[in-house]
Short mmCIF file of all heavy atoms in Angstrom, two decimals:
data_model
loop_
_atom_site.label_atom_id
_atom_site.label_comp_id
_atom_site.label_asym_id
_atom_site.label_seq_id
_atom_site.Cartn_x
_atom_site.Cartn_y
_atom_site.Cartn_z
N MET A 1212 -4.41 20.98 -1.14
CA MET A 1212 -3.18 21.67 -0.74
C MET A 1212 -2.62 20.97 0.49
O MET A 1212 -3.29 20.90 1.52
CB MET A 1212 -3.49 23.13 -0.43
CG MET A 1212 -4.05 23.87 -1.63
SD MET A 1212 -4.70 25.50 -1.19
CE MET A 1212 -6.36 25.12 -0.66
N ARG A 1236 -5.56 21.04 2.94
CA ARG A 1236 -6.53 22.13 2.80
C ARG A 1236 -7.20 22.03 1.43
O ARG A 1236 -6.58 21.61 0.46
CB ARG A 1236 -5.83 23.49 2.96
CG ARG A 1236 -5.07 23.54 4.26
CD ARG A 1236 -5.02 24.87 4.97
NE ARG A 1236 -5.04 26.06 4.16
CZ ARG A 1236 -3.98 26.59 3.56
NH1 ARG A 1236 -2.80 26.02 3.66
NH2 ARG A 1236 -4.10 27.69 2.86
N PHE A 1237 -8.44 22.42 1.41
CA PHE A 1237 -9.20 22.33 0.18
C PHE A 1237 -10.07 23.57 0.06
O PHE A 1237 -10.79 23.91 0.98
CB PHE A 1237 -10.06 21.05 0.22
CG PHE A 1237 -11.00 20.91 -0.94
CD1 PHE A 1237 -10.53 20.86 -2.24
CD2 PHE A 1237 -12.37 20.83 -0.71
CE1 PHE A 1237 -11.40 20.73 -3.30
CE2 PHE A 1237 -13.24 20.70 -1.77
CZ PHE A 1237 -12.76 20.64 -3.06
N ASP A 1238 -9.95 24.23 -1.07
CA ASP A 1238 -10.71 25.47 -1.26
C ASP A 1238 -12.13 25.15 -1.69
O ASP A 1238 -12.42 24.99 -2.87
CB ASP A 1238 -10.02 26.33 -2.32
CG ASP A 1238 -10.72 27.67 -2.49
OD1 ASP A 1238 -11.77 27.89 -1.85
OD2 ASP A 1238 -10.22 28.50 -3.26
N LEU A 1239 -12.99 25.07 -0.69
CA LEU A 1239 -14.37 24.67 -0.94
C LEU A 1239 -15.09 25.74 -1.75
O LEU A 1239 -15.84 25.46 -2.67
CB LEU A 1239 -15.06 24.46 0.41
CG LEU A 1239 -16.43 23.83 0.40
CD1 LEU A 1239 -16.43 22.53 -0.36
CD2 LEU A 1239 -16.91 23.60 1.82
N ALA A 1240 -14.84 27.00 -1.38
CA ALA A 1240 -15.56 28.09 -2.03
C ALA A 1240 -15.16 28.20 -3.50
O ALA A 1240 -15.97 28.57 -4.35
CB ALA A 1240 -15.28 29.40 -1.32
N GLY A 1241 -13.91 27.85 -3.80
CA GLY A 1241 -13.42 28.07 -5.16
C GLY A 1241 -13.46 26.86 -6.06
O GLY A 1241 -13.14 26.96 -7.25
N LEU A 1254 -20.88 24.63 2.12
CA LEU A 1254 -20.43 25.94 2.63
C LEU A 1254 -21.28 26.35 3.82
O LEU A 1254 -20.79 26.92 4.79
CB LEU A 1254 -20.50 26.99 1.52
CG LEU A 1254 -19.40 26.89 0.47
CD1 LEU A 1254 -19.68 27.81 -0.70
CD2 LEU A 1254 -18.04 27.22 1.08
N ALA A 1258 -19.68 26.14 7.70
CA ALA A 1258 -19.34 27.55 7.88
C ALA A 1258 -18.40 27.79 9.06
O ALA A 1258 -17.45 28.56 8.96
CB ALA A 1258 -20.61 28.37 8.03
N ARG A 1260 -16.16 25.95 10.29
CA ARG A 1260 -14.82 25.39 10.18
C ARG A 1260 -14.01 25.99 9.04
O ARG A 1260 -12.86 25.66 8.84
CB ARG A 1260 -14.92 23.88 9.91
CG ARG A 1260 -15.32 23.07 11.10
CD ARG A 1260 -15.06 21.60 10.89
NE ARG A 1260 -13.69 21.33 10.52
CZ ARG A 1260 -13.16 20.11 10.47
NH1 ARG A 1260 -13.90 19.08 10.76
NH2 ARG A 1260 -11.91 19.93 10.11
N LEU A 1261 -14.65 26.85 8.26
CA LEU A 1261 -13.97 27.36 7.08
C LEU A 1261 -13.18 28.62 7.38
O LEU A 1261 -13.59 29.45 8.17
CB LEU A 1261 -15.00 27.70 5.99
CG LEU A 1261 -15.79 26.51 5.45
CD1 LEU A 1261 -16.86 27.00 4.51
CD2 LEU A 1261 -14.88 25.55 4.74
N VAL A 1262 -12.04 28.75 6.75
CA VAL A 1262 -11.28 30.00 6.82
C VAL A 1262 -11.18 30.49 5.38
O VAL A 1262 -10.55 29.85 4.55
CB VAL A 1262 -9.85 29.74 7.35
CG1 VAL A 1262 -9.13 31.06 7.51
CG2 VAL A 1262 -9.93 29.00 8.67
N ASP A 1263 -11.83 31.59 5.09
CA ASP A 1263 -11.88 32.10 3.72
C ASP A 1263 -12.34 31.05 2.72
O ASP A 1263 -11.78 30.93 1.64
CB ASP A 1263 -10.48 32.60 3.27
CG ASP A 1263 -10.05 33.78 4.09
OD1 ASP A 1263 -10.94 34.49 4.61
OD2 ASP A 1263 -8.84 34.01 4.22
N GLY A 1264 -13.33 30.28 3.11
CA GLY A 1264 -13.87 29.28 2.18
C GLY A 1264 -13.00 28.04 2.04
O GLY A 1264 -13.26 27.19 1.21
N VAL A 1265 -11.94 27.96 2.87
CA VAL A 1265 -11.06 26.80 2.78
C VAL A 1265 -11.27 25.89 4.00
O VAL A 1265 -11.35 26.37 5.12
CB VAL A 1265 -9.58 27.25 2.75
CG1 VAL A 1265 -8.65 26.05 2.80
CG2 VAL A 1265 -9.33 28.07 1.50
N ILE A 1266 -11.39 24.59 3.72
CA ILE A 1266 -11.56 23.64 4.82
C ILE A 1266 -10.22 22.95 5.07
O ILE A 1266 -9.52 22.63 4.11
CB ILE A 1266 -12.65 22.61 4.48
CG1 ILE A 1266 -12.88 21.63 5.64
CG2 ILE A 1266 -12.34 21.83 3.23
CD1 ILE A 1266 -13.82 22.11 6.67
#
Side-chain angles (χ1 to χ4, degrees):
M1212 299 169 275
R1236 306 215 329 278
F1237 174 60
D1238 184 356
L1239 189 54
L1254 285 170
R1260 286 195 55 170
L1261 296 174
V1262 184
D1263 295 335
V1265 174
I1266 182 86

